Amino acid sequence: MPPAAALAGTLRPYQQAGLNWMQFLRAHGLAGILADDMGLGKTVQTIAHLATEKEAGRLQQPALVVAPTSLVHNWIAECARFAPSLAVLKLHGHKRAAEFERIGAHDVVVTTYPLLPRDAEQLLKHEFHLAVFDEAQNLKNAKSRAAETALQLRARHRLALTGTPLENNLGELWSQFNILLPGLLGDARRFARLYRTPIEKHGDNERRAHLARRVKPFILRRTKEQVARELPPKTEIERAVDLAGAQRDLYETIRSAMDRRVREALAAQGLARSHIVVLDALLKLRQVCCDPRLVKTPAAAKVKESAKLELLTSLLPELIAEGRRVLLFSQFTSMLALIEAELSARRIDYVKLTGETRDRKTPVERFQRGAVPLFLISLKAGGTGLNLTAADTVIHYDPWWNPAVEQQATDRAHRIGQDKPVFVYRLLAAGTVEERMRALQKRKADLARGVLDEDAALAKVLTAEDLQVLFEPLAG
């Protein structure tokens, strides 16, 4: 089906195929997940679908777009850019109540996941032509208020957009399909019995294949390698550094104490009820690896060595001297503050984006036009919704559990519009929990591919044995 005449710009062939798929779902009263890799234009394909619906006269009720707060501006801007004929209403901010009575007069209404349950009374009064859930992994918890409200919405058609429909476990996939196509995968208990337990606990490939066949018609997933061959290559580099001296001693002291604490928790209440203890222990070890100053104890305050920060401060000047444009990600905003002090001492210009940044536009524009060579970004605040194709280098200062989150951050640079090879550096403390987390990351990625890709092997989920490996002492 050709795109609407009012659509500005030209769809790439795979984007046209995405539009055709959405039109097929609509014609047959079905719902689905557009699960393209980050950067392939899921938003544009959806806007093309909306423009087609309006041109055909089917958009007689508004479409509701639910997105993370950080992407509201992007949706408004992209609609104005690609389909200016669509009348768009933003439901955001403390004055939004005045806009409720205007919902029916618009083609597209944009709200956020936090506001969805708060505004449920008003939104449930309306019937929507289409409900779009952007970054739909926000609905992975079926018991969250956002997921419960999403399920109650009255919409003729539903569409989820996410590059990571499955991040950690199969229950997340069930939660999304429960909203899109209730009953397709049964209730949560039946799904656990038929799929989650056999696949995640026992590695049952036959059950995995059966689940993959069941959801395949309703998931459209394309990778960059498959459909965007015009993208330049991406080179991934791991740079490991040994902890030494007082930092190494601090790591071992905390590791030993945390290992004992986790073992006691597992013995007393089992893995399922020990998550808080486990996560706290892992957090402290990761903080030591990043910089001892992140650990708020008197012993850590005395440690002056920071092996990874030394590696970074030797790497950055070299990259900048070569003319590289660098995105530097960390999960810890307090780590970014420590890095800022080092940059100031070396007179390296930069911009920064964290959850506390009110004006996101200015640092993005400064970096994109070449005013500064370095962009510091907290993983949570800048992992999605940014187009930073001026960058040709990405540095992950600290690894995180979920490989999809790191991939989304990397895709801020390696996306459509990039014309330079992209280099991705991962800085690791050798022999520590960080290197062991990288091995688990690959198993997490295999879990996702096992359902979304027919031929991939599945990995088991985190077990007590995994924890034993994570808390092993440093070699030597």
Side-chain angles (χ1 to χ4, degrees):
M1 172 177 291
L7 186 71
T10 302
L11 297 178
R12 290 180 168 85
Y14 72 88
Q15 292 174 332
Q16 177 64 57
L19 170 60
N20 295 344
W21 177 76
M22 285 185 264
Q23 286 289 304
F24 173 85
L25 292 180
R26 188 269 312 156
H28 293 83
L30 299 172
I33 301 176
L34 180 60
D36 287 346
D37 270 358
M38 295 293 295
L40 293 185
K42 293 187 290 292
T43 303
V44 172
Q45 293 174 70
T46 306
I47 292 172
H49 177 56
L50 292 171
T52 299
E53 291 299 280
K54 181 171 183 178
E55 186 171 272
R58 291 187 290 267
L59 196 61
Q60 296 178 2
Q61 284 82 30
L64 179 68
V65 174
V66 186
T69 304
S70 61
L71 296 186
V72 169
H73 174 78
N74 184 68
W75 269 97
I76 303 297
E78 295 290 88
C79 284
R81 177 184 176 189
F82 292 105
S85 64
L86 293 174
V88 183
L89 176 67
K90 179 174 72 171
L91 288 182
H92 190 246
H94 64 280
K95 296 183 179 180
R96 68 187 183 280
E99 305 291 347
F100 289 149
E101 63 183 26
R102 303 177 59 223
I103 289 176
H106 289 77
D107 299 315
V108 181
V109 178
V110 183
T111 188
T112 70
Y113 287 104
L115 293 179
L116 185 61
R118 293 171 61 180
D119 295 343
E121 182 179 352
Q122 294 294 329
L123 295 174
L124 294 178
K125 292 178 181 178
H126 296 270
E127 180 175 349
F128 296 99
H129 179 68
L130 173 68
V132 178
F133 304 102
D134 193 13
E135 299 294 347
Q137 66 270 18
N138 283 275
L139 300 173
K140 64 185 180 183
N141 181 0
K143 296 182 180 179
S144 70
R145 293 182 63 206
E148 290 175 348
T149 307
L151 182 60
Q152 296 174 44
L153 289 172
R154 294 188 295 143
R156 296 178 184 172
H157 313 287
R158 293 169 181 247
L159 178 68
L161 311 178
T162 174
T164 54
L166 194 159
E167 292 184 314
N168 297 298
N169 60 68
L170 294 174
E172 299 171 355
L173 190 69
W174 178 87
S175 179
Q176 292 169 71
F177 269 108
N178 186 54
I179 292 168
L180 296 171
L181 291 166
L184 177 71
L185 299 179
D187 61 28
R189 184 174 298 180
R190 176 179 170 83
F191 180 76
R193 178 170 56 83
L194 291 180
Y195 298 111
R196 282 198 67 177
T197 299
I199 294 172
E200 294 180 356
K201 301 295 185 184
H202 308 303
D204 190 327
N205 285 331
E206 183 177 341
R207 286 281 85 194
R208 174 197 59 80
H210 187 273
L211 177 59
R213 288 194 299 270
R214 191 161 185 81
V215 300
K216 186 175 183 179
F218 310 106
I219 298 180
L220 179 60
R221 177 169 177 80
R222 282 82 58 89
T223 66
K224 290 191 185 78
E225 291 74 19
Q226 290 172 322
V227 301
R229 301 185 186 280
E230 65 265 40
L231 275 177
K234 177 175 64 176
T235 302
E236 301 195 10
I237 304 166
E238 289 191 359
R239 295 285 295 269
V241 60
D242 288 314
L243 302 186
Q247 185 180 15
R248 180 187 178 93
D249 293 340
L250 179 66
Y251 180 91
E252 273 299 289
T253 299
I254 293 178
R255 183 207 61 77
S256 178
M258 292 296 103
D259 181 39
R260 183 168 57 251
R261 184 181 172 199
V262 168
R263 287 175 185 271
E264 289 172 354
L266 293 179
Q269 54 197 27
L271 178 58
R273 296 184 178 181
S274 302
H275 287 163
I276 293 177
V277 174
V278 170
L279 291 176
D280 180 63
L282 293 173
L283 172 64
K284 286 183 170 59
L285 290 182
R286 295 178 60 232
Q287 288 175 326
V288 178
C289 293
C290 288
D291 193 292
R293 288 172 289 180
L294 299 184
V295 183
K296 305 303 181 184
T297 66
K302 298 177 183 178
V303 179
K304 305 304 179 184
E305 297 95 336
S306 180
K308 198 188 291 189
L309 186 57
E310 290 179 14
L311 172 62
L312 177 70
T313 52
S314 66
L315 180 63
L316 274 178
E318 185 177 335
L319 292 172
I320 292 172
E322 293 175 0
R324 301 283 188 87
R325 310 294 310 291
V326 183
L327 306 181
L328 173 59
F329 288 95
S330 175
Q331 188 204 356
F332 304 107
T333 55
S334 51
M335 189 66 238
L336 294 180
L338 296 177
I339 293 171
E340 281 186 272
E342 296 293 330
L343 297 175
S344 297
R346 291 164 173 76
R347 297 185 178 181
I348 297 175
D349 291 332
Y350 65 93
V351 290
K352 184 176 74 167
L353 177 64
T354 70
E356 297 179 359
T357 304
R358 292 291 172 259
D359 177 12
R360 296 168 61 98
K361 182 179 179 182
T362 298
V364 170
E365 289 183 346
R366 288 194 66 204
F367 182 81
Q368 283 293 93
R369 71 170 184 263
V372 294
L374 175 62
F375 202 152
L376 306 183
I377 308 175
S378 67
L379 195 62
K380 189 172 183 179
T384 60
L386 293 177
N387 188 341
L388 297 170
T389 51
D392 56 16
T393 302
V394 177
I395 299 176
H396 291 287
Y397 188 86
D398 43 272
W400 184 227
W401 285 116
N402 191 337
V405 174
E406 280 191 5
Q407 185 61 53
Q408 287 182 338
T410 297
D411 284 345
R412 300 309 95 218
H414 194 249
R415 60 193 294 120
I416 295 297
Q418 179 60 270
D419 57 3
K420 304 174 291 296
V422 174
F423 293 84
V424 182
Y425 291 83
R426 288 184 175 85
L427 308 188
L428 301 170
T432 69
V433 66
E434 289 189 334
E435 280 198 331
R436 292 161 190 150
M437 283 172 64
R438 286 292 294 154
L440 284 178
Q441 275 190 331
K442 296 173 183 177
R443 296 166 63 182
K444 289 277 190 180
D446 287 342
L447 174 62
R449 284 195 296 266
V451 173
L452 300 178
D453 299 339
E454 193 67 38
D455 296 324
L458 271 179
K460 295 180 181 178
V461 295
L462 187 66
T463 64
E465 289 74 23
D466 293 328
L467 294 178
Q468 183 176 349
V469 172
L470 289 172
F471 288 102
E472 284 180 354
L474 292 169

